[in-house]
């Protein structure tokens, strides 16, 4: 299979052996050719942020001992229940078991410094509210929620390796664009420079590449 292109058009050529063509439904170079136009995506600019939930007053930090009362600050990989009638702010990486958010409580995830946040848990039960950003505060930073566990330990609980919601989950992130770019020249074995059709330094996010592919 070989892909070639002009700045706005990718042309796909497919060659198949006679034995592999089992039906007339297959598209081959002898029956037809296919041209696909992939328009360039516009470069988007994040809007100004206002009324960010993670910057509100009255929040209690996940990392304060006083937030957890007599239960004590959660230890790594342990099950955690957010205290009743409490809005807890998570701003750095944590790894827990099952996280429970009661109906009267809220877990707010967001960074005040622009750093990335990783939340690992074997499940999350949202009876109250889980909040990341708002309509007027689209999150630009990287926030990763990883649900952990193994097949050997699978459970029938709906929150096992999942997010179980009877309350509210609200997530607002900015949709960066473009999300991909094309190579400007083939990349050969031994090359240490890749040429792109756009200047990657001017783009807002890391980009995957649509490469030049050859298959003998």
């Amino acid at each position: 299979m070989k892909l070639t292109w002009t700045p706005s058009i990718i042309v796909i050529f497919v060659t198949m052996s006679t034995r592999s063509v089992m039906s007339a439904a297959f598209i081959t170079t002898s029956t037809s050719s296919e041209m696909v136009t992939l328009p360039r995506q516009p470069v988007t600019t994040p809007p100004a942020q206002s009324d960010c939930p993670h910057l509100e007053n009255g929040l209690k930090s996940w990392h304060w001992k006083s937030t957890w009362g007599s239960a004590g600050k959660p230890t790594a990989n342990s099950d955690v229940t957010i205290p009743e009638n409490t809005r807890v702010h998570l701003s750095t990486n944590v790894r827990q078991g099952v996280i429970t958010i009661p109906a009267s409580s809220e877990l707010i995830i967001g960074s005040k410094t622009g750093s990335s946040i990783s939340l690992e848990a074997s499940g999350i039960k949202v009876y109250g509210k889980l909040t990341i950003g708002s309509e007027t505060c689209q999150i630009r930073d990287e926030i990763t929620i990883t649900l952990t566990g193994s097949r050997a330990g699978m459970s029938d609980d709906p929150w096992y390796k999942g997010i179980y919601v009877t309350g509210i989950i609200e997530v607002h992130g900015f949709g960066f664009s473009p999300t991909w770019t094309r190579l400007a020249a083939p990349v050969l074995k031994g090359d240490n420079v890749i040429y792109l059709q756009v200047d990657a330094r001017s783009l807002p996010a890391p980009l995957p590449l649509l490469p030049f592919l050859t298959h003998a």
Side-chain angles (χ1 to χ4, degrees):
M1 180 176 179
K2 180 178 291 186
L3 277 68
T4 60
W5 68 88
T6 65
S8 62
I9 297 177
I10 290 182
V11 185
I12 302 176
F13 301 93
V14 179
T15 302
M16 305 177 67
S17 67
T18 304
R19 285 183 300 174
S20 68
V21 181
M22 304 299 295
S23 167
F26 281 95
I27 298 175
T28 69
T29 52
S30 62
T31 59
S32 61
S33 63
E34 192 74 15
M35 299 182 64
V36 180
T37 300
L38 299 178
R40 295 186 186 276
Q41 294 176 297
V43 176
T44 54
T45 303
Q49 295 176 320
S50 63
D51 300 323
C52 293
H54 62 281
L55 300 180
E56 293 181 12
N57 295 323
L59 304 182
K60 293 189 176 183
S61 173
W62 178 288
H63 312 285
W64 293 347
K65 185 177 179 180
S66 60
T67 298
W68 305 98
S70 60
K73 184 178 176 181
T75 57
N77 299 306
S78 65
D79 292 345
V80 179
T81 297
I82 303 297
E84 296 280 352
N85 301 302
T86 305
R87 303 180 73 208
V88 174
H89 174 215
L90 177 64
S91 58
T92 59
N93 301 342
V94 296
R95 181 183 177 91
Q96 305 297 154
V98 176
I99 298 174
T100 302
I101 307 173
S104 62
S105 301
E106 181 179 4
L107 176 60
I108 301 170
I109 304 175
S111 172
K112 296 181 179 180
T113 61
S115 58
S116 61
I117 300 173
S118 173
L119 168 61
E120 295 185 44
S122 57
I124 303 176
K125 295 186 283 185
V126 184
Y127 302 117
K129 188 174 183 182
L130 173 61
T131 301
I132 303 175
S134 67
E135 290 186 4
T136 58
C137 182
Q138 297 177 6
I139 299 299
R140 310 170 192 175
D141 311 315
E142 182 179 348
I143 296 178
T144 304
I145 297 178
T146 305
L147 300 168
T148 61
S150 63
R151 288 186 179 275
M154 287 194 71
S155 166
D156 292 332
D157 293 331
W159 50 80
Y160 179 75
K161 294 194 75 172
I163 301 178
Y164 177 75
V165 183
T166 61
I168 298 172
I169 181 169
E170 190 168 344
V171 180
H172 298 268
F174 177 70
F176 285 102
S177 175
T179 56
W180 56 271
T181 187
R182 305 184 186 100
L183 294 175
V187 180
L188 305 178
K189 182 178 180 180
D191 286 351
N192 56 16
V193 177
I194 295 176
Y195 293 94
L196 306 180
Q197 294 188 8
V198 296
D199 185 350
R201 295 171 299 179
S202 65
L203 300 174
L207 301 174
L209 303 175
L210 179 60
F212 181 98
L213 301 176
T214 60
H215 178 66

